[in-house]
Amino acid sequence: MNSQTDRLFSQPLAEVPDFIFNEAVVNVFPDMIKRSVPGYPSIVENTGLLAAQFAQPNTLLYDLGCSLGAVTQAMRRHVDQPNCSIVGIDNSSAMVKRCQEYLSAQNAMFQTLLPAEIIEQDILQVDYQPCSFIALNFTLQFIEPKQRTALLKKLRQALTAQGALLLSEKIKFTDADEHQQLNELHLAFKRANGYSDLEIAQKRRAIENVMLPDTFEVHRQRLLDAGFSKVYLWFQCLNFASMIALP
Ligand code: GEK
């Protein structure tokens, strides 16, 4: 269960295939996401606090695209409401298997934790149950753009009145200079974390067809179109942002 250093793109590849969340990625995932996503540890930890504020008794909390369950683990530690439990969902079987192992390890470390179940499923196919908190932490960007509004509408319908949806994403910018400068800073962040220019270029090629970011304005409007009434940006670090949407 030891996590390894991400060297997946360190050797020149004749052809770079599209990125998939397979076992090789699972083995390096905690290292990869920390070295690639500015602000990731702060977002995860604060998601636990946000979930604690919005969680209602007798409801579910969802962690959609849960990967190895970092957000699920933070929510389990912070949320303290009667008859609440967490459902983490991911469509990568390798992620789900490792996530379940991580949660068992967490069970052994803490005495009181919210119950959590991890399910292998496409988040577009889920029959969502009444829930008070939904985390989409860097997952919507992997959903086909034309499916995004329908998914958010479904989530909005499942959300209870006092609940909230958290959406974290890599973001684009309408202003070309702002876009370029924040992307340059992101490259600097990756270099400072030990990624070579080759690794950065090959990863970019692998991800460009599967991860499709939007601007904050597009996210905001889409959330409003899906029936949310308010959208707040609560965190931004370079070109990565997290927002809260209220019913
Ligand atoms: C974290 N939230 O550590 N259905 C279910 N899962 C999906 C789907 C789908 N349609 N599409 C992609 N995924 C995590 C990080 S990672 C972000 C999320 C990243 C899953 C995919 O298998 C992967 O585990 C996750 O969404 C995206 O807080 O790697 O940049």
Side-chain angles (χ1 to χ4, degrees):
M1 226 164 62
N2 282 345
S3 170
Q4 301 157 14
T5 304
D6 172 23
R7 302 207 191 289
L8 292 182
F9 295 98
S10 60
Q11 299 306 314
L13 299 166
E15 205 173 314
V16 182
D18 279 348
F19 191 83
I20 47 167
F21 292 95
N22 58 15
E23 176 119 24
V25 168
V26 165
N27 288 335
V28 301
F29 189 76
D31 179 69
M32 170 188 276
I33 196 152
K34 250 186 272 147
R35 287 163 69 213
S36 308
V37 177
Y40 173 79
S42 299
I43 291 177
V44 168
E45 196 52 32
N46 283 298
T47 298
L49 299 181
L50 287 161
Q53 245 188 329
F54 289 101
Q56 307 290 314
N58 310 312
T59 60
L60 292 179
L61 287 75
Y62 283 110
D63 180 5
L64 304 182
C66 60
S67 298
L68 300 184
V71 163
T72 291
Q73 290 202 21
M75 296 198 296
R76 293 184 88 193
R77 280 189 286 108
H78 288 286
V79 177
D80 181 18
Q81 286 287 348
N83 201 21
C84 261
S85 66
I86 302 174
V87 178
I89 302 174
D90 204 290
N91 65 351
S92 153
S93 57
M95 283 289 186
V96 167
K97 187 165 171 284
R98 187 69 55 88
C99 182
Q100 286 165 340
E101 290 167 11
Y102 277 14
L103 291 187
S104 299
Q106 194 194 24
N107 285 339
M109 284 190 294
F110 292 86
Q111 282 189 334
T112 51
L113 284 169
L114 227 54
E117 180 191 7
I118 305 299
I119 297 171
E120 181 185 335
Q121 202 177 355
D122 182 339
I123 60 170
L124 296 170
Q125 305 299 330
V126 176
D127 180 15
Y128 290 99
Q129 300 303 305
C131 53
S132 53
F133 193 77
I134 303 170
L136 271 169
N137 202 36
F138 301 110
T139 302
L140 193 69
Q141 57 199 7
F142 292 100
I143 300 295
E144 242 192 276
K146 62 175 191 293
Q147 312 253 39
R148 293 178 187 178
T149 305
L151 171 64
L152 293 174
K153 275 189 181 154
K154 229 170 143 182
L155 298 178
R156 165 67 190 89
Q157 278 157 19
L159 205 58
T160 54
Q162 309 300 317
L165 174 136
L166 173 130
L167 175 62
S168 310
E169 293 271 296
K170 182 176 188 188
I171 51 168
K172 299 196 295 190
F173 298 88
T174 321
D175 181 89
D177 290 340
E178 187 178 6
H179 185 77
Q180 197 198 328
Q181 294 210 336
L182 288 165
N183 271 284
E184 297 269 328
L185 280 166
H186 183 219
L187 288 184
F189 173 88
K190 290 183 100 171
R191 283 193 203 104
N193 282 334
Y195 283 117
S196 67
D197 286 344
L198 176 70
E199 285 177 295
I200 293 170
Q202 295 193 133
K203 173 75 181 285
R204 187 192 299 139
R205 160 60 211 99
I207 209 101
E208 68 192 356
N209 295 327
V210 288
M211 195 191 93
L212 302 167
D214 288 317
T215 61
F216 174 65
E217 290 75 19
V218 166
H219 282 301
R220 190 171 174 281
Q221 191 56 53
R222 187 188 286 122
L223 286 160
L224 296 175
D225 292 346
F228 290 89
S229 67
K230 298 232 185 287
V231 180
Y232 302 124
L233 188 65
W234 69 272
F235 185 93
Q236 186 180 338
C237 185
L238 310 183
N239 46 356
F240 290 78
S242 189
M243 51 209 101
I244 278 283
L246 304 180

